[in-house]
Amino acid sequence: MQLWRIDLAGATGLHDRFAPLLTHAEQLQASRRRTGRVQEHFSVGRACLRILLGNASGLDPLSLTITTRVHGKPQLSHRNGPRIAFNVAHSKDTILIALTRTGHIGVDVEYFDRSTDIMEVAHHNFTASESRSLAAITDPQARVKTFYRYWTRKEAVLKADGRGLIASLASFDISFESVTLHPVRIAESPDDQGKLFFVSDLSLGIEAAGAIALESPDSPVRQLIFPLSRPW
């Protein structure tokens, strides 16, 4: 399992370099976004995803067909050879791309926003137990960090499941402590056995929380930095 990090802080002029690696439809998508940082981040993220999928599959990145599942999660078409699951997360100047050949995968990253009313957000999105644990933290900085750890773990699980935020963040509990391969079961209905995912915190070295969710506990995560300076 590979987790690639793309650091866009201070990077400029990348849109023109990476746009040729996009399909015509993706270039149109980029053109509809606000010129500047938003457009550039979309182009770089999608181009890097194609490069990584091309390397993993041994195929021309532009020949790959990326489709969407019923709830909008992108996936690589089965026509592109052996199955490779992937997931992408983006917050500010950081993009994460996770790839695996074993089961489904979800990844999330969120920079700390101390202007957010986190208890109000938690009240509407977390379980009662999680909200109580968060409210019991008296140190404001620790409370913010814990909130974002909860959020990224939950989003990673829902993204691995494939329903994203269509499913409720409050439909399952997540561990209060730091986690590594913490098992989480998520079901679509009370009668459903559900799916089991294993969620781990990511150490990113930035003012952000990150988490990854896997179907298999036997898939070690290899963290890598994407070399933007390379002449793709």
Side-chain angles (χ1 to χ4, degrees):
M1 209 293 302
Q2 295 180 346
L3 177 68
W4 290 86
R5 176 174 163 184
I6 304 165
D7 185 3
L8 298 168
T12 58
L14 295 177
H15 172 72
D16 291 341
R17 279 183 51 209
F18 284 89
L21 297 172
L22 306 181
T23 64
H24 178 65
E26 289 167 341
Q27 290 181 19
L28 285 177
Q29 281 183 272
S31 70
R32 296 189 189 107
R33 283 165 165 76
R34 190 168 67 251
T35 302
R37 187 168 173 258
V38 173
Q39 186 182 83
E40 184 165 88
H41 286 196
F42 172 83
S43 298
V44 173
R46 199 55 181 255
C48 291
L49 173 61
R50 285 194 168 276
I51 290 167
L52 294 173
L53 289 174
N55 288 344
S57 64
L59 299 173
D60 177 0
L62 275 173
S63 73
L64 300 174
T65 301
I66 298 174
T67 61
T68 55
R69 294 170 61 184
V70 63
H71 295 304
K73 182 179 180 180
Q75 64 181 3
L76 193 61
S77 170
H78 62 83
R79 294 176 296 179
N80 295 130
R83 182 183 180 281
I84 302 171
F86 67 89
N87 199 230
V88 181
H90 178 210
S91 183
K92 290 191 177 180
D93 293 320
T94 298
I95 299 174
L96 300 180
I97 300 177
L99 307 172
T100 184
R101 297 183 187 274
T102 308
H104 296 290
I105 191 168
V107 66
D108 192 49
V109 58
E110 298 288 344
Y111 274 79
F112 303 141
D113 182 356
R114 290 174 174 80
S115 66
T116 299
D117 185 343
I118 58 174
M119 290 312 304
E120 177 69 16
V121 176
H123 175 71
H124 291 288
N125 293 278
F126 291 175
T127 65
S129 173
E130 291 164 346
S131 292
R132 285 195 299 270
S133 295
L134 197 62
I137 300 173
T138 56
D139 179 69
Q141 302 298 326
R143 182 184 285 178
V144 167
K145 291 181 180 180
T146 301
F147 168 83
Y148 281 103
R149 280 203 298 268
Y150 272 147
W151 188 276
T152 53
R153 292 169 189 171
K154 284 173 166 284
E155 279 221 34
V157 170
L158 291 181
K159 290 172 74 176
D161 174 68
R163 286 179 288 163
L165 293 183
I166 292 174
S168 170
L169 289 172
S171 63
F172 61 98
D173 275 295
I174 204 78
S175 172
F176 177 69
E177 305 297 334
S178 295
V179 296
T180 301
L181 294 177
H182 175 69
V184 176
R185 190 172 296 278
I186 179 170
E188 293 191 39
S189 69
D191 299 325
D192 180 19
Q193 288 270 332
K195 300 175 187 174
L196 185 65
F197 294 101
F198 296 87
V199 62
S200 298
D201 292 328
L202 296 173
S203 179
L204 300 172
I206 54 178
E207 280 290 289
I212 190 164
L214 307 163
E215 268 194 288
S216 170
D218 301 318
S219 299
V221 178
R222 184 183 177 202
Q223 295 195 43
L224 302 154
I225 302 295
F226 192 96
L228 287 176
S229 59
R230 180 173 168 179
W232 297 101

